């Protein structure tokens, strides 16, 4: 009998521990899970899943589906085959399919729809991306939520920040902004200016952490010159901040233990790397690295300090603007690219022209509707796996809890293909053990990744001379939105996990625009248009509209440009116009 312990598989900061008890999903009591889950997992088993494979609309058996898959892969030139994998399930064994496709000679993807620009900025400045874990945030005095919406996307941080000073920098008055000591309702895409000004004022105020700067950031003087290029009064007016806000932020943070908790909202722009680096530079000015309760938390690398046992060296194409029609067979796993990739109209038209589309997932969605072959996956309760997190250091074993006749696991599908095409594959247990070996037991009974630092950068940064590398230049943003244009922000909704579960269907607007609640309006961008029902939301700036991730067709509006660094999608860099339907 397996242990009744597992973990939530979803792409979420928290990576909660789960006990499967009396056929019910229950939260782990210990550690960060803290005895509660979120709506996705509380209702997980109620969501309707795909139960039977299909080919061209006709129901077939799993055996027939696997045979069909084998046929669809049997091309002379393997360059005709694309493996496109998303993060529907975040556990480590999901990557086993990459092992097959890479060794087979197929094309894989690189780039990201998520956090790549910010990560690139972090690596440029610090030489590596080592994250401040939840357990350290708990020890800080002041927490700055910078483009992060914790009530929706990372609720397990909330009990840890009770009674701390809270600063929020977000164009939307989110729930955390409502209870914060200070909310700077910043214009979207202007964080770099705020960050530059903060570093400048720390210097003007004589509050630089001199000891830290001398040791690890000796180029600060040059950076200070860069910050001097920003005109204070006009910039503050344009970005929606005041000199009083800057004063308050300095007063709250100087000589305090400060955690800057960044989300992906700040960096879904072409210059996302620079934005993140300017926030890091603000933290450097305060000397926030390498000390208890201090640092910058971002969406860290969940695979930090873990080596993959899979061989995944392959030719790759970008995940952001993939030309599906350049392939004969596209195998899509754990993703809904038709809804979630930018520029959906382009995505749809290229997939329509792809001869064979295979969808390997749990739920029906826009991508399954376009697929020729549908192979149902197993849920996390029906397979063994192991996961790590991008916001804490726990390593969580996910034991299989139930037997089911539905679907096939990623390992079993890979084992079938490897057998058929003569590719070497180790046993499932060997791979699971490989991952388990990275864990050490903590006093609360949980495991954590042994090599991960709780307080990274204690001996300086991971650059060649241990020093922080400041931005030397940045692209000036046009801070004024044209009269009839609005900024589109498209962040996460509490009822869905991107396009899984209960998806939203509204456009949120400030009531000042004169449209009625419930009225259908047309939203248009350079890329396309959609019609959605209006919901008034006066928590928004009046130059900004909000359409949540997962809202059907939202990505008709977004462009498939890449960030300058980090090969990332830029979902928020889109202006829209609104009009009566
Ligand atoms: N419930 C739920 N949880 C999720 C997900 C989900 O879909 N639903 N998705 C998961 C995934 S894949 C990810 S990547 C994470 C992301 O989770 P978060 O990092 O929290 O990201 P977002 O919700 O995209 O954006 C966070 C905040 O950024 C703000 N924002 C937008 N533009 C700007 C800007 O220019 N400047 C500033 N300062 N703020 C801005 C938005 O208003 C929003 O409040 O959440 C994960 N968790
Ligand atoms: N407009 C807009 N677009 C966005 C974003 C945004 O904020 N706004 N966010 C972007 C971000 S940050 C991300 S990470 C992406 C996410 O985009 P995707 O990676 O496409 O994620 P989901 O929409 O959650 O779809 C995941 C799919 O995985 C399948 N799945 C779930 N569990 C399993 C499993 O165990 N095995 C298999 N084989 N399949 C499984 C489900 O059927 C589900 O349809 O979206 C991006 N797109
Ligand atoms: S908060 Fe995140 S990790 Fe926890 S149960 Fe919900 S989706 Fe899963
Ligand atoms: Mo994401």
């Amino acid at each position: 009998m397996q242990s009744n312990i597992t973990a939530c598989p979803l792409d979420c900061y928290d990576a909660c521990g789960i006990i499967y008890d009396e056929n019910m999903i229950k939260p782990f009591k210990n550690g960060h899970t803290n005895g509660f889950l979120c709506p996705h997992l509380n209702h997980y088993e109620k969501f309707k899943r795909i139960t039977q494979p299909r080919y061209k609309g006709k129901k077939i058996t799993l055996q027939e589906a696997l045979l069909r898959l084998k046929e669809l892969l049997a091309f002379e030139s393997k360059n005709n085959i694309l493996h496109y994998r998303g993060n529907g399930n975040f556990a480590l064994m999901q990557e086993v399919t990459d092992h097959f496709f890479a060794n087979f000679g197929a094309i894989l993807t690189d780039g990201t729809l998520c956090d790549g620009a910010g990560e690139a900025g972090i690596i440029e400045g610090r030489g590596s991306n080592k994250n401040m874990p939840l357990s350290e945030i708990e020890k800080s005095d002041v927490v700055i939520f910078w483009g992060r919406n914790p009530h929706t996307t990372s609720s397990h941080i909330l009990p840890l920040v009770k009674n701390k000073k809270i600063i929020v920098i977000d164009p939307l008055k989110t729930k955390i902004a409502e209870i914060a000591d200070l909310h700077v309702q910043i214009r979207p895409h202007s964080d770099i200016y705020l960050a530059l000004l903060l570093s400048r004022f720390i210097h003007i105020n004589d509050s630089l952490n001199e000891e830290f700067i001398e040791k690890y950031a000796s180029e600060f003087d040059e950076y200070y010159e860069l910050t001097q290029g920003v005109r204070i009064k006009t910039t503050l007016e344009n970005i929606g901040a005041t000199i009083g806000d800057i004063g308050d932020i300095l007063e709250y943070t100087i000589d305090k233990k400060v955690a800057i908790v960044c989300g992906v909202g700040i960096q879904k722009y072409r210059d996302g790397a620079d934005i993140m680096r300017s926030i890091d530079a603000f933290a450097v000015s305060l000397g926030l690295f390498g000390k208890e309760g201090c640092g910058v938390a971002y969406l860290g690398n969940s695979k930090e300090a873990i080596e993959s046992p899979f061989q995944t060296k392959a030719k790759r194409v970008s995940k952001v603007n993939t030309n599906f029609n350049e392939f004969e067979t596209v195998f899509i796993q754990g993703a809904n690219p038709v809804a979630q990739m930018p520029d959906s109209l382009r995505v749809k038209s290229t997939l329509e022209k792809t001869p064979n589309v295979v969808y390997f997932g749990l739920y029906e969605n826009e991508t399954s509707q376009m697929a020729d072959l549908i192979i149902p996956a197993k849920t996390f309760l029906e397979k063994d796996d192991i996961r790590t997190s991008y916001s804490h250091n726990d390593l969580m074993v996910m034991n299989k809890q139930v037997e089911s006749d539905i679907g096939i696991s990623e390992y079993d599908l890979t084992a079938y293909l490897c057998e058929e095409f003569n590719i070497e594959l180790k046993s499932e247990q060997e791979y699971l053990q490989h991952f388990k070996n990275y864990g050490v037991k903590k006093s609360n009974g949980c495991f954590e990744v042994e090599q991960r630092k709780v307080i990274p950068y204690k001996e300086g940064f991971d650059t060649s001379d241990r020093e922080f590398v400041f931005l030397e230049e940045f692209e000036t943003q046009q801070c004024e939105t044209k009269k009839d244009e609005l900024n589109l922000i498209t962040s996460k909704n509490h009822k869905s996990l991107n396009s899984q579960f209960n998806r939203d269907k509204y456009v949120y607007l400030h009531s000042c625009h004169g449209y009625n609640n419930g009225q259908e309006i047309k939203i248009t961008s350079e890329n396309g248009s959609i019609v959605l029902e209006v919901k008034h939301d006066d928590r928004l700036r009046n130059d900004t509209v909000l359409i949540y991730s997962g809202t059907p067709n939202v990505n008709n509006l977004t462009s498939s440009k890449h960030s300058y660094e980090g090969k990332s999608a830029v979902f928020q860099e889109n202006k829209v116009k609104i009009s009566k339907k």
Side-chain angles (χ1 to χ4, degrees), residues 144-276:
I144 306 180
F145 287 101
W146 201 321
R148 169 87 77 94
N149 182 7
H151 285 84
T152 294
T153 66
S154 32
S155 55
H156 291 80
I157 200 174
L158 294 168
L160 311 182
V161 302
K162 261 192 188 152
N163 307 321
K164 297 189 194 300
K165 264 268 182 271
I166 306 271
I167 301 172
V168 174
I169 303 165
D170 199 305
L172 177 71
K173 198 166 185 72
T174 53
K175 271 198 187 163
I176 192 76
E178 275 165 14
I179 55 173
D181 297 274
L182 176 68
H183 174 210
V184 181
Q185 192 159 16
I186 196 164
R187 168 198 292 274
H189 204 182
S190 58
D191 304 81
I192 196 165
Y193 292 103
L194 181 63
L196 285 160
L197 286 175
L198 285 167
S199 290
R200 173 154 157 205
F201 275 93
I202 292 171
H203 182 60
I204 295 173
N205 208 32
D206 241 354
S207 303
L208 279 180
N209 188 319
E210 294 289 356
E211 198 190 321
F212 185 85
I213 300 274
E214 243 168 65
K215 245 171 131 177
Y216 301 126
S218 60
E219 305 282 305
F220 183 85
D221 286 346
E222 282 84 347
Y223 184 63
Y224 180 66
E225 271 176 40
L226 186 76
T227 71
Q228 281 179 310
V230 180
R231 288 166 60 202
I232 298 171
K233 196 163 163 282
T234 23
T235 304
L236 285 174
E237 269 166 23
N238 281 334
I239 72 173
T242 64
I243 199 85
D245 293 334
I246 302 249
D248 286 348
I249 296 176
L250 296 200
E251 189 193 318
Y252 292 157
T253 55
I254 287 166
D255 294 331
K256 298 281 179 357
K257 284 187 186 171
V258 184
I260 306 179
V261 179
C262 297
V264 297
I266 47 171
Q267 55 86 60
K268 286 185 167 171
Y269 298 100
R270 299 198 87 184
D271 60 336
D274 290 353
I275 299 171
M276 193 64 220

Side-chain angles (χ1 to χ4, degrees), residues 3 75 126 131 140 161 171 195 222 231 269 277 279 287 297 309 314 348 456 510 535 541 559 569:
S3 139
F75 292 106
R126 304 185 211 159
N131 208 30
S140 57
V161 302
E222 282 84 347
R231 288 166 60 202
Y269 298 100
R277 190 134 73 114
I279 294 173
K348 268 182 221 153
H510 197 280
K535 270 206 178 176
R541 293 170 55 96
S559 98

